[in-house]
Amino acid sequence: MKIGLIGLGIMGKPMAKNILKKGYPDLLVSDLNKVAVDEVVACGAKAATNQEIGEQCDVVLTMLPNSPHVKSVMLTPETGVANFMHKGQVFIDMSSINPVASKEISSALAEKGVEMLDAPVSGGEPKAIDGTLSFMVGGKQEVFDAYKPLLETMGASVVRCGDVGAGNTTKLANQIIVACNIQALAEALTLAHKAGVDPELVFQAIKGGLAGSTVMNAKAPMMIEGNDKPGFKIDLHIKDLNNALDCAHSVGAPVPMTAEVQEILQWLHNHGKGQADHSAIAQYYEALTGIQIGR
Ligand code: NAD
């Protein structure tokens, strides 16, 4: 099977390496960043133009920042990858984008007989490197069944959630839960510090109980150390929550918690923290109280 992958950033690069390592050596890649392309080519991939990827590959994968990037790479008149694709090929978008955009891209491709899955992931860079991401997938069952083994080269869990758009709707649900969890954790550790109880001991005492979570295990130590190295960047989380708010408004779902945490993320962006890890939500509370959570 010939595979094309466009987008070799924090996530796409290790995902490409896992595709190569786990039984799919015929991989064409492209990115605006030549250094990233060279690194993946050194592992066995071939550099290609978007036209070559569209013409030659059985399946085209993308791992790009957001809806406008995926739409532009795929659907730009004359130069977009879709112009070069034909009936029987498949497009799998692994980026986290607005589910409305996934449906638009799918409809445009359907006119050419090209099937699409939207297959965003959770897990971040460490799981992209390990090949243990969680995929949430939207699209036809038979397309999902045919390409599940390919996604399993990059992920430990690959679940079909419904038709096209369902993958990104599930991802929005994931991003709401993660952001609100981080906010609750930052708020709670700030309270502990202000009340004179060591946040590290609070974390140790409660992590095994009902409040414990994957988010707490990953982010409490970062807040306590004052470490905001990404991980998952504030600006990407703002992008995801904008998509969540857009989607919620269009389907009539109430999202007051999402709106609140989005304002905190936006405040952090405005204070130069857009490239920091989303655990830097703690720094909003630190700025309000004048404390440092772990110190
Ligand atoms: P990134 O910014 O590191 O990588 C994006 C890549 O796309 C860059 O290398 C950029 O050069 C390339 N690109 C942009 N426009 C392009 C174009 N027109 N043609 C070719 N290449 C182009 O982003 P990332 O962290 O790898 O995230 C990718 C997607 O995965 C996003 O939707 C993000 O929300 C999602 N995601 C990220 C994480 C994470 O922890 N980083 C976790 C889960 C999901």
Side-chain angles (χ1 to χ4, degrees), residues 20-223:
L20 287 165
K21 253 191 273 172
K22 298 188 190 164
Y24 297 91
D26 202 359
L27 177 67
L28 303 186
V29 292
S30 128
D31 193 290
L32 300 176
N33 175 2
K34 191 174 172 312
V35 177
V37 173
D38 290 345
E39 190 178 325
V40 179
V41 166
C43 298
K46 287 198 196 79
T49 62
N50 285 358
Q51 176 166 348
E52 288 164 342
I53 286 175
E55 283 169 352
Q56 296 174 23
C57 293
D58 301 297
V59 54
V60 175
L61 308 171
T62 46
M63 194 54 170
L64 296 163
N66 196 10
S67 320
H69 306 84
V70 182
K71 277 182 154 180
S72 142
V73 163
M74 292 305 296
L75 301 182
T76 298
E78 293 178 23
T79 55
V81 177
N83 292 288
F84 309 107
M85 293 181 77
H86 54 265
K87 190 170 162 48
Q89 287 173 294
V90 169
F91 171 55
I92 304 180
D93 179 31
M94 307 184 295
S95 328
S96 303
I97 71 170
N98 193 325
V100 175
S102 302
K103 288 181 196 163
E104 285 169 15
I105 297 165
S106 170
S107 302
L109 293 175
E111 286 172 19
K112 307 193 68 142
V114 172
E115 293 288 351
M116 170 172 167
L117 300 175
D118 63 315
V121 301
S122 83
E125 187 183 21
K127 292 195 174 209
I129 292 169
D130 293 350
T132 55
L133 293 164
S134 296
F135 278 90
M136 33 217 127
V137 187
K140 290 183 184 158
Q141 183 73 52
E142 61 272 24
V143 183
F144 173 80
D145 291 342
Y147 288 92
K148 190 171 178 230
L150 172 60
L151 299 181
E152 283 170 340
T153 65
M154 299 170 272
S157 156
V158 181
V159 175
R160 179 178 174 268
C161 303
D163 294 330
V164 167
N168 272 305
T169 303
T170 306
K171 175 71 184 181
L172 295 183
N174 183 81
Q175 293 305 82
I176 290 173
I177 293 167
V178 169
C180 293
N181 253 284
I182 295 177
Q183 185 190 348
L185 179 63
E187 194 163 301
L189 295 183
T190 303
L191 167 79
H193 187 291
K194 287 287 285 179
V197 180
D198 181 350
E200 172 64 27
L201 297 179
V202 172
F203 170 50
Q204 294 303 333
I206 68 176
K207 68 180 184 185
L210 191 56
S213 66
T214 309
V215 164
M216 183 183 284
N217 290 340
K219 304 302 176 184
M222 293 182 75
M223 292 178 187

